[in-house]
Every structure is written in C-alpha cells, then in structure tokens.
C-alpha cells in the first residue's frame, strides 16, 4: 500500500522485481512504471475542528445493518483487501462508517484528514443519531475520547488487537496510519468508481 498520498496530486510509481538467487539464471527482471493521479474531490461542506482525542475509531458489525437505509448503504461493499483492518469498503474506495446526524445521513460521503497527514474517504452507512454529546457529533470513548468515525467491519475478520482495544486508532494498518486525531472532515461529492 502506498502511503502519504494527497488528494488531487499526480504520482509516478516504479516497481522493480527482485529475483532470488536460484532464479537469477533463468529469469530476467524488468521494472515497470505507471503514472496516475489521486482523486480530486469536490467539497460540499466543511465541518469545524473538534478538539480533544478524536482518533478513537471504534466499530460496528456489518451484520447489524439489516434495515434501510443502512442495509442499502452497505450493499455491495467488501472487506478491504489491502489493509487487513476487516473494515468494509464500497465501490468508490470509501470505508463504510457510522457518523452522527451533525455530519449528515446514510450515503453521504466524506474526506477525513488526520493530523499526521493521513487522508481517507468514508461513506456514511449508518447513523449514530444525536450521539452521546446530544449534538450528533461523537460517542464517548474511554478516558475522554471522542469516537466521530465508527468503522463498519465484517463480523469474521475483526483483528484481535481491535477486539481487545475497541479501536483501530492505535495502529498503522499496512500504511493506513490511524494513530492520530482528526484534523478535518469535509462532505464531498461522488467521483469515479475504483477496482480492487
């Protein structure tokens, strides 16, 4: 997984295969380069910064989303094949998540930027309602934590460390570094679908 990529930028990636000692006589290794551009998002709405420990990324089981509109919002999503998080992603590459009514409704899409520079997109697949704060921003988590983004995970692929800690926010997931607080959340329009 490539890390540190920012939205709306062009990148060139070169892959150079490495041969094992017993392969060097019969094979030739060739490098390949590809150029691509990350998605440029259209921001619809920006939300104010939420102070405090906001990197508490708790979760909700996908099997619990049986009624509309949540069941429709998560339909067609798959377990992320890249990060080993067990979190479901949709055809746009968005992580499926629950957010409070302060942010929006099911099927809304967001760009989340963390204070360490990590960026990822989420699709609201469930609502936290007015949440613990009464404003629909976050659920309380641990000692003063604020769980704003609650990932929707596959029932059978929850990592043991998350089952123990209750949060993805303590870890770096094959380059998806969730170990920082949320810097910004922006509601965005839909772009192009991706292929995994």
């Amino acid at each position: 997984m490539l890390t540190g990529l920012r939205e709306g930028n062009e990148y060139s990636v070169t892959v150079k295969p490495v041969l094992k000692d017993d392969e060097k006589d019969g094979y030739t290794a060739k490098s390949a380069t590809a150029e691509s551009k990350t998605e440029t998002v259209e921001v619809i709405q920006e939300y104010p910064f939420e102070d405090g420990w906001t990197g508490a990324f708790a979760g909700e089981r996908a099997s619990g989303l049986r009624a509309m509109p949540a069941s429709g919002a998560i339909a067609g999503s798959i377990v992320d094949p890249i990060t080993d998080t067990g979190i479901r992603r949709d055809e746009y590459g968005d992580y499926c998540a629950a957010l409070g009514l302060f942010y929006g409704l099911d099927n809304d899409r967001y760009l989340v930027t963390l204070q360490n520079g990590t960026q990822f997109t989420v699709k609201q697949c469930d609502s936290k309602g007015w949440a613990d704060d009464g404003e629909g921003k976050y659920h309380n988590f641990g000692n003063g934590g604020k769980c704003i983004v609650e990932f929707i995970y596959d029932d059978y692929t929850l990592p043991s460390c998350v089952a123990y800690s209750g949060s993805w926010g303590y870890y770096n997931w094959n380059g998806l570094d969730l170990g920082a607080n949320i810097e910004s959340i922006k509601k965005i329009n839909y772009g192009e679908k991706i292929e995994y």
Side-chain angles (χ1 to χ4, degrees), residues 149-187:
V149 175
E150 187 173 288
F151 291 121
I152 309 297
Y153 64 91
D154 187 74
D155 295 41
Y156 305 105
T157 58
L158 181 67
S160 59
C161 58
V162 176
Y164 176 77
S165 68
S167 174
W168 281 264
Y170 299 112
Y171 313 101
N172 184 318
W173 300 94
N174 293 324
L176 177 65
D177 186 355
L178 298 177
N181 288 325
I182 296 172
E183 178 68 32
S184 69
I185 297 178
K186 300 173 183 175
K187 187 181 288 186

Coordinates of all heavy atoms in Angstrom, one line a residue, residues 149-187:
V149 N -15.8 8.9 13.9 CA -15.9 7.9 12.8 C -15.9 6.5 13.4 O -14.9 6.1 14.0 CB -14.8 8.1 11.8 CG1 -14.9 7.0 10.7 CG2 -14.8 9.5 11.2
E150 N -17.0 5.8 13.2 CA -17.1 4.4 13.7 C -17.2 3.5 12.5 O -18.1 3.5 11.7 CB -18.4 4.3 14.5 CG -18.6 3.0 15.2 CD -19.8 3.1 16.2 OE1 -19.7 3.8 17.2 OE2 -20.8 2.4 15.8
F151 N -16.1 2.7 12.3 CA -16.0 1.9 11.1 C -17.0 0.7 11.1 O -17.2 0.1 12.2 CB -14.6 1.3 10.9 CG -13.6 2.4 10.6 CD1 -12.5 2.6 11.4 CD2 -13.7 3.1 9.4 CE1 -11.5 3.6 11.1 CE2 -12.7 4.1 9.1 CZ -11.7 4.3 9.9
I152 N -17.5 0.3 10.0 CA -18.3 -0.9 9.8 C -17.4 -2.0 9.4 O -16.8 -2.0 8.4 CB -19.4 -0.7 8.8 CG1 -20.2 0.6 9.0 CG2 -20.3 -1.9 8.7 CD1 -20.9 0.7 10.3
Y153 N -17.3 -3.1 10.2 CA -16.4 -4.2 10.0 C -17.2 -5.5 9.7 O -18.3 -5.6 10.1 CB -15.4 -4.4 11.1 CG -16.1 -4.8 12.4 CD1 -16.2 -6.1 12.8 CD2 -16.5 -3.8 13.3 CE1 -16.8 -6.5 14.0 CE2 -17.1 -4.2 14.5 CZ -17.2 -5.5 14.8 OH -17.8 -5.9 16.0
D154 N -16.5 -6.4 9.0 CA -17.0 -7.7 8.7 C -16.9 -8.5 10.0 O -15.9 -8.5 10.7 CB -16.2 -8.3 7.6 CG -16.8 -9.6 7.1 OD1 -17.9 -9.6 6.5 OD2 -16.3 -10.7 7.5
D155 N -18.0 -9.2 10.3 CA -18.1 -10.0 11.5 C -17.0 -11.0 11.7 O -16.5 -11.2 12.9 CB -19.4 -10.7 11.6 CG -20.6 -9.8 11.6 OD1 -20.6 -8.8 10.9 OD2 -21.6 -10.1 12.4
Y156 N -16.4 -11.5 10.7 CA -15.5 -12.6 10.8 C -14.0 -12.2 10.5 O -13.2 -13.1 10.5 CB -15.9 -13.8 9.8 CG -17.3 -14.2 10.1 CD1 -18.3 -13.8 9.2 CD2 -17.6 -14.9 11.2 CE1 -19.6 -14.2 9.4 CE2 -19.0 -15.3 11.4 CZ -19.9 -15.0 10.6 OH -21.2 -15.3 10.8
T157 N -13.8 -10.9 10.3 CA -12.4 -10.5 10.0 C -12.0 -9.4 11.0 O -11.0 -8.6 10.6 CB -12.3 -10.0 8.6 OG1 -13.2 -9.0 8.3 CG2 -12.5 -11.2 7.6
L158 N -12.6 -9.3 12.1 CA -12.1 -8.3 13.1 C -10.8 -8.6 13.7 O -10.6 -9.7 14.2 CB -13.2 -8.1 14.2 CG -12.8 -7.1 15.3 CD1 -12.9 -5.7 14.7 CD2 -13.8 -7.2 16.5
P159 N -9.8 -7.8 13.5 CA -8.4 -8.1 14.1 C -8.5 -8.2 15.6 O -9.2 -7.5 16.2 CB -7.6 -6.9 13.6 CG -8.3 -6.3 12.5 CD -9.8 -6.5 12.7
S160 N -7.7 -9.1 16.1 CA -7.8 -9.4 17.6 C -7.3 -8.2 18.4 O -7.9 -7.9 19.4 CB -6.9 -10.6 17.9 OG -5.5 -10.4 17.5
C161 N -6.4 -7.4 17.8 CA -6.0 -6.2 18.6 C -7.1 -5.2 18.7 O -7.2 -4.5 19.7 CB -4.7 -5.5 17.9 SG -4.9 -5.1 16.2
V162 N -8.0 -5.1 17.7 CA -9.1 -4.2 17.7 C -10.2 -4.7 18.7 O -10.8 -4.0 19.4 CB -9.7 -3.9 16.3 CG1 -10.9 -3.0 16.4 CG2 -8.6 -3.2 15.4
A163 N -10.4 -6.1 18.6 CA -11.3 -6.7 19.5 C -10.9 -6.4 21.0 O -11.8 -6.2 21.8 CB -11.4 -8.2 19.3
Y164 N -9.6 -6.4 21.2 CA -9.1 -6.1 22.6 C -9.2 -4.7 23.0 O -9.7 -4.3 24.1 CB -7.7 -6.6 22.7 CG -7.0 -6.3 24.0 CD1 -7.3 -7.1 25.2 CD2 -6.2 -5.2 24.2 CE1 -6.8 -6.8 26.4 CE2 -5.6 -4.9 25.4 CZ -5.9 -5.7 26.5 OH -5.3 -5.4 27.7
S165 N -8.8 -3.8 22.1 CA -8.7 -2.3 22.4 C -10.0 -1.6 22.1 O -10.2 -0.5 22.7 CB -7.6 -1.7 21.6 OG -7.9 -1.6 20.3
G166 N -10.8 -2.1 21.2 CA -12.0 -1.4 20.8 C -11.8 -0.3 19.8 O -12.8 0.4 19.4
S167 N -10.6 -0.1 19.3 CA -10.4 1.0 18.3 C -9.3 0.6 17.3 O -8.3 -0.1 17.6 CB -9.9 2.2 19.0 OG -9.6 3.2 18.1
W168 N -9.5 1.0 16.1 CA -8.4 0.9 15.0 C -7.4 2.1 15.2 O -6.4 2.0 14.6 CB -9.0 1.0 13.6 CG -9.7 -0.2 13.2 CD1 -9.1 -1.2 12.4 CD2 -11.0 -0.7 13.4 NE1 -10.0 -2.2 12.1 CE2 -11.2 -1.9 12.7 CE3 -12.1 -0.2 14.1 CZ2 -12.4 -2.6 12.8 CZ3 -13.3 -0.9 14.2 CH2 -13.4 -2.1 13.5
G169 N -7.7 3.1 16.0 CA -6.9 4.3 16.1 C -5.6 4.2 16.8 O -4.8 5.1 16.8
Y170 N -5.2 3.0 17.3 CA -3.9 2.8 17.9 C -2.9 2.3 17.0 O -1.7 2.1 17.3 CB -4.0 1.8 19.1 CG -5.0 2.3 20.2 CD1 -6.2 1.6 20.4 CD2 -4.7 3.3 21.0 CE1 -7.1 1.9 21.4 CE2 -5.6 3.7 22.0 CZ -6.7 3.0 22.2 OH -7.6 3.4 23.2
Y171 N -3.2 2.0 15.7 CA -2.4 1.2 14.8 C -2.2 1.8 13.5 O -2.9 2.6 13.0 CB -3.0 -0.2 14.7 CG -3.4 -0.8 16.0 CD1 -4.8 -0.8 16.4 CD2 -2.5 -1.4 16.9 CE1 -5.2 -1.3 17.6 CE2 -2.9 -1.9 18.1 CZ -4.3 -1.9 18.4 OH -4.7 -2.4 19.6
N172 N -1.1 1.3 12.8 CA -0.8 1.5 11.4 C -1.2 0.3 10.6 O -0.6 -0.8 10.9 CB 0.6 1.9 11.2 CG 1.0 2.3 9.8 OD1 0.5 1.7 8.8 ND2 1.8 3.3 9.7
W173 N -2.1 0.4 9.7 CA -2.6 -0.8 9.0 C -2.0 -0.9 7.6 O -2.6 -0.4 6.6 CB -4.2 -0.7 8.9 CG -4.8 -0.7 10.3 CD1 -5.1 0.4 11.0 CD2 -5.1 -1.8 11.1 NE1 -5.6 0.1 12.2 CE2 -5.6 -1.3 12.3 CE3 -4.9 -3.2 10.9 CZ2 -6.0 -2.1 13.3 CZ3 -5.4 -4.0 11.9 CH2 -5.9 -3.5 13.1
N174 N -0.9 -1.5 7.5 CA -0.2 -1.7 6.2 C -0.1 -0.3 5.5 O -0.4 -0.3 4.3 CB -0.9 -2.7 5.4 CG -0.7 -4.1 6.0 OD1 0.3 -4.4 6.5 ND2 -1.8 -4.9 5.8
G175 N 0.2 0.7 6.2 CA 0.3 2.0 5.6 C -0.8 3.0 5.9 O -0.7 4.2 5.7
L176 N -2.0 2.5 6.3 CA -3.1 3.3 6.7 C -2.9 3.7 8.2 O -3.3 2.9 9.0 CB -4.4 2.7 6.5 CG -5.7 3.5 6.9 CD1 -5.8 4.7 6.1 CD2 -6.9 2.6 6.8
D177 N -2.2 4.8 8.4 CA -1.8 5.2 9.8 C -3.0 5.9 10.5 O -3.2 7.1 10.2 CB -0.5 6.0 9.8 CG 0.0 6.3 11.2 OD1 -0.7 5.9 12.2 OD2 1.1 6.9 11.2
L178 N -3.7 5.2 11.3 CA -4.8 5.8 12.0 C -4.5 6.3 13.4 O -5.3 6.6 14.2 CB -6.0 4.8 12.1 CG -6.5 4.4 10.8 CD1 -7.6 3.3 11.0 CD2 -7.1 5.6 10.0
G179 N -3.2 6.4 13.7 CA -2.7 6.8 15.1 C -2.6 8.3 15.3 O -1.6 8.7 15.9
A180 N -3.6 9.0 14.8 CA -3.6 10.5 15.1 C -5.0 11.0 15.2 O -6.0 10.3 14.7 CB -2.9 11.2 13.9
N181 N -5.2 12.2 15.7 CA -6.5 12.8 15.8 C -7.0 13.3 14.5 O -6.2 13.5 13.6 CB -6.5 13.9 16.8 CG -6.4 13.4 18.3 OD1 -6.9 12.3 18.6 ND2 -5.7 14.1 19.1
I182 N -8.3 13.6 14.4 CA -8.9 14.1 13.2 C -8.6 15.6 13.0 O -8.9 16.3 14.0 CB -10.4 13.8 13.1 CG1 -10.6 12.3 13.1 CG2 -11.0 14.5 11.9 CD1 -12.1 11.9 13.3
E183 N -8.0 16.0 11.9 CA -7.7 17.4 11.6 C -9.0 18.0 11.0 O -9.3 19.1 11.3 CB -6.5 17.5 10.7 CG -6.2 18.9 10.3 CD -5.7 19.8 11.4 OE1 -5.0 19.2 12.4 OE2 -6.0 21.0 11.4
S184 N -9.6 17.3 10.0 CA -10.7 17.9 9.4 C -11.6 16.8 8.8 O -11.2 15.7 8.4 CB -10.3 18.8 8.2 OG -9.7 18.1 7.2
I185 N -12.9 17.1 8.7 CA -13.9 16.3 8.0 C -14.6 17.2 7.0 O -15.1 18.3 7.4 CB -14.9 15.7 9.0 CG1 -14.2 14.7 9.9 CG2 -16.0 14.9 8.2 CD1 -15.1 14.1 11.0
K186 N -14.7 16.7 5.7 CA -15.3 17.5 4.7 C -16.3 16.6 3.9 O -15.9 15.5 3.5 CB -14.3 18.1 3.7 CG -13.3 19.0 4.3 CD -12.2 19.4 3.3 CE -11.2 20.3 4.0 NZ -10.1 20.6 3.2
K187 N -17.5 17.1 3.8 CA -18.5 16.3 3.0 C -18.1 16.6 1.5 O -17.9 17.7 1.1 CB -19.9 16.8 3.2 CG -21.0 15.9 2.5 CD -22.4 16.4 2.8 CE -22.8 16.1 4.2 NZ -24.2 16.4 4.5

